[in-house]
Structures are given as C-alpha cells and as structure tokens.
C-alpha cells in the first residue's frame, strides 16, 4: 500500500489530540493534547498508570472512537470527525491490525479460518487466503493447531493466533492493547518472541500499550503517558 503522504516519512502523525468523556453533567478530560509520530518499522510501547488514557488513545488511532479535536493521519489518510462510516470501515479493514487483551477468536471457526478472516474481508479468494494464513501459522510454530477450534487450544496459543490474524494482511499499523495481560510468564515470553520475530522480518510498525516491562523492553521506543499527556 503506497502512502499518499510522500513529503513525510512517518506512517502515523498525531497532533494535539483532545478527548473528553461526558456523562450528563459529569465530564472527564482524558486526553489533554497528545502529539507524536511513528516511522515505518518502529515498535513503540506506550506505558503509564491506570487511567492515564492509553486505551482511549489507542481506540482513537484505530478509529474505534473519535477525538474532540486534533489531527490523526495514518498512512496518508486523515481521520477527521467528518469521515464517512464506509471510509472508516475500509480504513480499519486495510490499515490496522488489532490485538486486544482477549484474543476474540471466533469459536465456530478453526484456527486457520480465523487467520483467514481479514483476508477474506478484503476479497482475497479462499485458496489464496488459506495459503497465506497457513504460512504465517507455520512461521510462528502453530501449523499443528491449524485445524483445531479455539476451544481446543491454550490461552497462550490463542493469543499467538491473534497475532497471526492481525499481521496476515500486512497492515501499515498494528495496535495492541495489553496483549499479554492475561498470559503467564512462559506464554508472555513466547508472545514477545513471536511479535519480535514478525516485526523484525516483516518490518512491521507496532504500537503496544502495556504494563509489562518485558514487553515494553522489546520495543524500539517507549512513550510514557500520565494524566492525559505524553511525558
Ligand atoms: N467510554 C468511557 N466513558 C467515560 N469514561 C471513560 C470511558 N472510557 C474510559 N473512561 C475514563 O477515561 C480515563 C482513561 O481511561 P483509559 O481506559 O484510556 O485508561 P488506561 O490508561 O487505558 O488505563 P488502564 O491501564 O487501566 O487500562 C479513565 O478515568 C476512565 O474511567
Ligand atoms: Mg487500558
């Protein structure tokens, strides 16, 4: 996918982002002017105390929610408040790979079918999608689990399948929110190894929100958020 923003190398630019949650009379200013940019192939960890606004920021970057003001440009596309629903759907489909704390694998589909889903959504034909999904599962050592259902594999394996599903379409940006939050130390290390390997080999651009120092240390850059700001 070619960036339309040739004057700038960054894959992501965030400028003066503000977000306030309102609930009737009450309101909470959660993002108080966030600015940063990320270059292609960077692996960035966002750390900070609970309530700092990390998930809020990630949700805005993934167009799951909208900022009150400020600018987000990802791979040449600006996520404005006026953006059409359909454009947002296509943006999420083509530009973002998500990894959440829970794997959210679809129980009625096998492992390989789960990994195929993002490609099928893009219109890739079944055989080609299956080949690509199988290839990435093999790279992360899960080819022997391909035809199992999510209920038949472990939590650690499920979370590594979620990585495969996020990267299979080779999106310009991967967003992960506490992806190791539910893993024991052994599976946490395996998850980090898988992410590291794919990131290095495929030059993936990753932003991960994490409390875990091991995962943060795997990143090439660390940003600290506190009270709605990057400090
Ligand atoms: N949908 C919402 N409506 C109202 N307030 C919200 C909403 N989502 C988050 N908040 C509030 O915004 C603040 C920041 O939340 P956020 O989830 O971004 O923090 P976080 O840094 O991800 O924290 P944690 O490390 O615990 O996941 C918190 O005070 C939270 O209660
Ligand atoms: Mg959070």
């Amino acid at each position: 996918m070619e960036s339309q923003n040739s004057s700038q190398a960054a894959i992501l630019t965030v400028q003066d982002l503000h977000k306030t949650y309102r609930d009737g009379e009450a309101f909470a200013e959660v993002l108080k002017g966030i600015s940063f940019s990320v270059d292609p192939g960077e692996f960035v960890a966002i750390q900070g105390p609970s309530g700092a606004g990390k998930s809020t920021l990630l949700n805005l970057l993934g167009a799951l929610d909208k900022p009150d003001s400020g600018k987000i440009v990802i791979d040449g596309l600006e996520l404005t408040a006026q953006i059409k629903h359909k454009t947002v759907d296509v943006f999420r489909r083509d530009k973002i790979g998500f990894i959440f704390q829970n794997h959210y694998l679809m129980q009625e589909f096998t492992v390989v079918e789960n990994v195929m889903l993002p490609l099928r959504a893009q219109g890739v034909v079944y055989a080609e999608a299956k080949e690509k999904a199988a290839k990435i599962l093999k790279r992360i050592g899960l080819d022997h689990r391909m035809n199992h259902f999510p209920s038949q594999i472990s939590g650690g394996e499920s979370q590594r399948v979620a990585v495969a599903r996020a990267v299979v379409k080779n999106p310009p940006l991967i967003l992960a929110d506490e992806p190791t939050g539910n893993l024991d130390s052994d599976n946490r290390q395996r998850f980090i190894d898988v992410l590291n390997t794919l990131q290095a080999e495929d030059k993936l651009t990753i932003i991960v929100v994490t409390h875990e120092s091991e995962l943060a240390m795997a990143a090439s850059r660390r940003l600290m958020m506190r009270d709605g700001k990057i400090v």
Side-chain angles (χ1 to χ4, degrees), residues 97-109:
F98 285 106
I99 308 167
F100 298 98
Q101 184 164 352
N102 298 309
H103 52 73
Y104 294 119
L105 297 180
M106 304 196 62
Q107 297 298 320
E108 66 273 35
F109 292 119

Side-chain angles (χ1 to χ4, degrees), residues 21 30 48-57 178 211:
Y21 289 114
V30 175
S50 185
K54 306 181 299 295
S55 295
T56 301
L57 173 62
E178 300 285 358
H211 281 111

